[in-house]
PDB file of all heavy atoms in Angstrom:
ATOM      1  N   PHE H 291      87.482 106.491  85.877  1.00 92.00           N
ATOM      2  CA  PHE H 291      87.854 105.246  85.732  1.00 92.00           C
ATOM      3  C   PHE H 291      89.451 105.208  85.138  1.00 92.00           C
ATOM      4  O   PHE H 291      90.195 104.546  85.636  1.00 92.00           O
ATOM      5  CB  PHE H 291      87.032 104.453  84.701  1.00 92.00           C
ATOM      6  CG  PHE H 291      87.634 103.060  84.355  1.00 92.00           C
ATOM      7  CD1 PHE H 291      87.633 102.070  85.271  1.00 92.00           C
ATOM      8  CD2 PHE H 291      88.169 102.939  83.085  1.00 92.00           C
ATOM      9  CE1 PHE H 291      88.180 100.709  84.861  1.00 92.00           C
ATOM     10  CE2 PHE H 291      88.655 101.702  82.677  1.00 92.00           C
ATOM     11  CZ  PHE H 291      88.746 100.620  83.606  1.00 92.00           C
ATOM     12  N   ILE H 292      89.665 106.041  84.172  1.00 95.00           N
ATOM     13  CA  ILE H 292      90.950 106.313  83.708  1.00 95.00           C
ATOM     14  C   ILE H 292      91.911 106.778  84.652  1.00 95.00           C
ATOM     15  O   ILE H 292      93.026 106.253  84.779  1.00 95.00           O
ATOM     16  CB  ILE H 292      90.883 107.251  82.350  1.00 95.00           C
ATOM     17  CG1 ILE H 292      90.003 106.733  81.331  1.00 95.00           C
ATOM     18  CG2 ILE H 292      92.305 107.544  81.845  1.00 95.00           C
ATOM     19  CD1 ILE H 292      90.575 105.403  80.732  1.00 95.00           C
ATOM     20  N   GLU H 293      91.494 107.753  85.411  1.00 96.00           N
ATOM     21  CA  GLU H 293      92.329 108.228  86.504  1.00 96.00           C
ATOM     22  C   GLU H 293      92.858 107.214  87.554  1.00 96.00           C
ATOM     23  O   GLU H 293      93.775 107.246  88.110  1.00 96.00           O
ATOM     24  CB  GLU H 293      91.708 109.508  87.196  1.00 96.00           C
ATOM     25  CG  GLU H 293      91.794 110.779  86.300  1.00 96.00           C
ATOM     26  CD  GLU H 293      93.203 111.069  85.929  1.00 96.00           C
ATOM     27  OE1 GLU H 293      94.092 111.109  86.793  1.00 96.00           O
ATOM     28  OE2 GLU H 293      93.357 111.490  84.684  1.00 96.00           O
ATOM     29  N   LEU H 294      91.756 106.402  87.884  1.00 96.00           N
ATOM     30  CA  LEU H 294      91.977 105.288  88.780  1.00 96.00           C
ATOM     31  C   LEU H 294      93.035 104.330  88.239  1.00 96.00           C
ATOM     32  O   LEU H 294      93.813 103.813  89.022  1.00 96.00           O
ATOM     33  CB  LEU H 294      90.660 104.509  89.112  1.00 96.00           C
ATOM     34  CG  LEU H 294      90.692 103.482  90.269  1.00 96.00           C
ATOM     35  CD1 LEU H 294      91.233 104.164  91.566  1.00 96.00           C
ATOM     36  CD2 LEU H 294      89.343 102.916  90.484  1.00 96.00           C
ATOM     37  N   ARG H 295      92.993 103.991  86.925  1.00 96.00           N
ATOM     38  CA  ARG H 295      93.943 103.199  86.453  1.00 96.00           C
ATOM     39  C   ARG H 295      95.361 103.805  86.468  1.00 96.00           C
ATOM     40  O   ARG H 295      96.325 103.137  86.667  1.00 96.00           O
ATOM     41  CB  ARG H 295      93.543 102.806  84.913  1.00 96.00           C
ATOM     42  CG  ARG H 295      92.361 101.999  84.880  1.00 96.00           C
ATOM     43  CD  ARG H 295      92.249 101.418  83.357  1.00 96.00           C
ATOM     44  NE  ARG H 295      93.322 100.586  83.092  1.00 96.00           N
ATOM     45  CZ  ARG H 295      93.437  99.860  81.969  1.00 96.00           C
ATOM     46  NH1 ARG H 295      92.401 100.052  81.024  1.00 96.00           N
ATOM     47  NH2 ARG H 295      94.391  99.089  81.811  1.00 96.00           N
ATOM     48  N   LYS H 296      95.459 105.099  86.296  1.00 97.00           N
ATOM     49  CA  LYS H 296      96.736 105.850  86.369  1.00 97.00           C
ATOM     50  C   LYS H 296      97.245 105.712  87.770  1.00 97.00           C
ATOM     51  O   LYS H 296      98.355 105.570  88.045  1.00 97.00           O
ATOM     52  CB  LYS H 296      96.566 107.338  86.013  1.00 97.00           C
ATOM     53  CG  LYS H 296      96.304 107.448  84.431  1.00 97.00           C
ATOM     54  CD  LYS H 296      96.198 109.043  84.145  1.00 97.00           C
ATOM     55  CE  LYS H 296      95.878 109.278  82.733  1.00 97.00           C
ATOM     56  NZ  LYS H 296      95.659 110.577  82.390  1.00 97.00           N
ATOM     57  N   LEU H 297      96.298 105.862  88.785  1.00 98.00           N
ATOM     58  CA  LEU H 297      96.664 105.845  90.179  1.00 98.00           C
ATOM     59  C   LEU H 297      97.197 104.458  90.500  1.00 98.00           C
ATOM     60  O   LEU H 297      98.291 104.239  91.134  1.00 98.00           O
ATOM     61  CB  LEU H 297      95.474 106.178  91.089  1.00 98.00           C
ATOM     62  CG  LEU H 297      95.751 106.288  92.532  1.00 98.00           C
ATOM     63  CD1 LEU H 297      96.722 107.313  92.925  1.00 98.00           C
ATOM     64  CD2 LEU H 297      94.390 106.589  93.228  1.00 98.00           C
ATOM     65  N   ASN H 298      96.508 103.400  90.051  1.00 98.00           N
ATOM     66  CA  ASN H 298      97.008 102.017  90.172  1.00 98.00           C
ATOM     67  C   ASN H 298      98.501 101.861  89.604  1.00 98.00           C
ATOM     68  O   ASN H 298      99.273 101.099  90.203  1.00 98.00           O
ATOM     69  CB  ASN H 298      96.016 101.096  89.624  1.00 98.00           C
ATOM     70  CG  ASN H 298      94.756 100.946  90.447  1.00 98.00           C
ATOM     71  OD1 ASN H 298      94.660 101.270  91.698  1.00 98.00           O
ATOM     72  ND2 ASN H 298      93.667 100.509  89.827  1.00 98.00           N
ATOM     73  N   ALA H 299      98.613 102.404  88.481  1.00 98.00           N
ATOM     74  CA  ALA H 299      99.925 102.225  87.702  1.00 98.00           C
ATOM     75  C   ALA H 299     100.935 102.908  88.526  1.00 98.00           C
ATOM     76  O   ALA H 299     102.097 102.398  88.565  1.00 98.00           O
ATOM     77  CB  ALA H 299      99.821 102.790  86.349  1.00 98.00           C
ATOM     78  N   ALA H 300     100.671 104.076  89.132  1.00 98.00           N
ATOM     79  CA  ALA H 300     101.606 104.822  89.904  1.00 98.00           C
ATOM     80  C   ALA H 300     101.951 104.013  91.242  1.00 98.00           C
ATOM     81  O   ALA H 300     103.232 104.006  91.513  1.00 98.00           O
ATOM     82  CB  ALA H 300     101.015 106.153  90.302  1.00 98.00           C
ATOM     83  N   GLN H 301     101.007 103.391  91.724  1.00 98.00           N
ATOM     84  CA  GLN H 301     101.238 102.516  92.962  1.00 98.00           C
ATOM     85  C   GLN H 301     102.296 101.418  92.523  1.00 98.00           C
ATOM     86  O   GLN H 301     103.249 101.162  93.344  1.00 98.00           O
ATOM     87  CB  GLN H 301     100.030 102.079  93.476  1.00 98.00           C
ATOM     88  CG  GLN H 301     100.157 101.099  94.697  1.00 98.00           C
ATOM     89  CD  GLN H 301      98.910 100.448  95.129  1.00 98.00           C
ATOM     90  OE1 GLN H 301      98.146  99.954  94.229  1.00 98.00           O
ATOM     91  NE2 GLN H 301      98.566 100.388  96.297  1.00 98.00           N
TER      92      GLN H 301
END
Side-chain angles (χ1 to χ4, degrees):
F291 171 74
I292 295 299
E293 285 302 319
L294 187 59
R295 293 194 63 177
K296 291 180 181 179
L297 186 58
N298 289 334
Q301 180 189 39

